Structure formats: structure tokens, C-alpha cells
Amino acid sequence: MNSDWSFNIDDSNARLTVPPDDVRLPVQEAANTLREATDACRKAALDLGVAIRTSSGAGYGTNWMVDTAGLSRADLERVLRGEELF
């Protein structure tokens, strides 16, 4: 973990400051939660892309996918071209 130095030039009282757990842990936990959610979102977007590309060949067109998947037409077109949503 990177810590902050609290000092001025020629300060004989310079010290390395590390926040206490009650300050540091909530930030660390929130960052971990965000990282997990981002990973899950990325996986869900990839899975949706696979499902869309697979379903697009079923013979029912693609217009219904905009509403079903909750995507814009531009996003749907990107997915159908093989680009990722995320």
C-alpha cells in the first residue's frame, strides 16, 4: 500500500502516515466491490454479445433485440459486428 509522507524540507519530525483501519478499510472495501461489479458487468456484456450474435441467425430479424436487450440500435449494430459492449 502506498502511504503518504508528511514533511517539509529539512523537517526533523517527518514521518510516514498510514491512515487507521477505520479510515482506510471502507475505501478498500468499496474499491473491491467496484472491481467485482466491473468484472461481473464485463462478463455479462460479453455473454450478451454472444447471445445476440447467436440469436441473430435464428431467422427472426434483429429489431426485437433492441427492446429485449435494452440496447440502442447503435450498440446492437456494434455487437452484431463482433465488437464488445464493454
Side-chain angles (χ1 to χ4, degrees), residues 38-85:
T38 301
D39 291 344
C41 185
R42 180 173 280 116
K43 183 184 178 325
L46 291 173
D47 291 348
L48 177 59
V50 169
I52 285 173
R53 285 186 292 277
T54 301
S55 295
S56 68
Y60 294 98
T62 58
N63 288 332
W64 62 273
M65 290 182 186
V66 173
D67 291 331
T68 303
L71 298 175
S72 69
R73 172 58 58 187
D75 284 341
L76 178 61
E77 293 299 326
R78 283 183 30 225
V79 171
L80 290 171
R81 287 192 305 266
E83 296 177 31
E84 294 180 6
L85 283 171

Side-chain angles (χ1 to χ4, degrees), residues 19-27:
D21 285 351
D22 63 326
V23 172
R24 183 183 53 80
L25 289 178
V27 173

Side-chain angles (χ1 to χ4, degrees), residues 2-53:
N2 293 334
S3 301
D4 291 324
W5 282 94
S6 172
F7 70 94
N8 292 314
I9 295 174
D10 296 327
D11 184 355
S12 61
N13 295 319
R15 69 184 198 293
L16 181 64
T17 58
V18 177
D21 285 351
D22 63 326
V23 172
R24 183 183 53 80
L25 289 178
V27 173
Q28 183 177 345
E29 290 170 4
N32 289 341
T33 300
L34 176 60
R35 191 172 10 268
E36 291 167 4
T38 301
D39 291 344
C41 185
R42 180 173 280 116
K43 183 184 178 325
L46 291 173
D47 291 348
L48 177 59
V50 169
I52 285 173
R53 285 186 292 277

